[in-house]
Amino acid sequence: MKKIFRWLILGGTLFFLLKAFKDNWLGVSAIRINITGWLILGTATSVTLLAHIWAGWIWTWVLKELNQSVSSIEFIQVYLKTNIAKYLPGNVWHYYGRIIAAKNANIPTNIATLSVLLEPLLMLAAALIIILLFASQIVVNNWKINLVILQLLGLIIILGILHPWFLNPTIQLLDRWKNKKSQPENQLIDSFIINRYPVKPLLGEIVFLGLRGAGFILTMLAINSLTWQQIPLLFGTFTCAWVMGLVIPGAPGGLGVFETIAILLLQYHFPAALVISAIALYRLISILAETTGAAIAWLFERI
């Protein structure tokens, strides 16, 4: 059923995107980018690359919150090299690569696994905080109250999961399961205990989404002028579309889901051809930034 559901979502999003592109082909083909626009697109690519480097640094913060001493430079390289693997079928290979790299650095398997599971939870919590702040810019009045209630409930659940009261028993359970043959059942490994709420990584994820949103806004600016009043709408829409691409099972890397949600939310505020062009360009920029990050990490490792 999960595979069928995934294929239905992928098929539905691709059909929607192809139809939107077909209906607005003339407008899309008429869009031109001048020299200034190309410079802005280059800046958007650089900002997006910086966001991925920053995300790798946040992963090292998460590991340190789990009382693991790691090399920030080394693990940022691992993050960048594995990030491109999220486009492989299954959408889990980037997590798998990070777990293997952490194990090779003598980090216990359960802690390595927990670190890569905490990352999307922190991203989700950060996204919900941002969407709560910008909800009034995204949806119509009739849905604002319902959306805020759902967001508050989701935010409470996610923030609760991130609390040490929940995480520490989870870590201990994983540790007992892994070592039940070699350690007494009542023995706990104190170095695996989280002593404080992961506020620093959570704030770091908010900055990460801010950088990603800035890249998207710059992409829109490269092909069309914007007003300051439109920036909150674009940032809130980007965050909503990005988080839907994170949580909805579909194509790897949120392909199709992100684009569909963004078009649905922006089509009443901007010309459809402009929205489609900007979203297509941003996907290319994202892949280029991730590929560049992986290449830089690989070259840095060789040097």
Side-chain angles (χ1 to χ4, degrees), residues 125 128 132 149-163 197:
L128 288 174
L132 275 173
I149 292 173
L150 290 175
Q151 288 172 302
L152 284 173
L153 289 175
L155 185 60
I156 290 171
I157 293 172
I158 296 298
L159 293 178
I161 291 174
L162 295 173
H163 199 282
Y197 196 91

Side-chain angles (χ1 to χ4, degrees), residues 220-288:
M220 288 284 292
L221 181 62
I223 58 178
N224 190 68
S225 60
L226 298 174
T227 65
W228 287 105
Q229 292 76 15
Q230 292 171 323
I231 291 178
L233 167 67
L234 290 172
F235 186 46
T237 298
F238 166 82
T239 306
C240 185
W242 182 89
V243 77
M244 295 301 284
L246 178 68
V247 300
I248 294 180
L255 279 168
V257 176
F258 169 82
E259 287 80 1
T260 298
I261 299 299
I263 291 173
L264 288 173
L265 293 177
L266 290 176
Q267 63 182 342
Y268 301 110
H269 304 277
F270 296 92
L274 171 65
V275 173
I276 294 170
S277 301
I279 290 172
L281 279 172
Y282 183 73
R283 175 59 73 178
L284 292 175
I285 284 172
S286 297
I287 295 175
L288 177 60

Side-chain angles (χ1 to χ4, degrees), residues 25-103:
W25 164 247
L26 291 177
V28 171
S29 61
I31 291 177
R32 297 290 182 269
I33 303 176
N34 55 27
I35 297 298
T36 303
W38 285 112
L39 291 175
I40 294 174
L41 288 177
T43 304
T45 305
S46 300
V47 170
T48 305
L49 174 59
L50 177 61
H52 291 299
I53 296 173
W54 178 262
W57 196 15
I58 296 172
W59 183 37
T60 67
W61 298 354
V62 173
L63 286 166
K64 290 175 182 178
E65 290 288 341
L66 297 172
N67 301 304
Q68 303 300 307
S69 179
V70 298
S71 168
S72 297
I73 297 297
E74 178 183 346
F75 275 74
I76 290 173
Q77 291 178 53
V78 170
Y79 189 94
L80 292 174
K81 287 190 297 182
T82 57
N83 203 38
I84 200 70
K86 68 184 179 182
Y87 293 105
L88 296 175
N91 201 22
V92 296
W93 298 109
H94 53 311
Y95 296 135
Y96 179 76
R98 291 165 197 167
I99 292 172
I100 295 299
K103 285 176 60 180

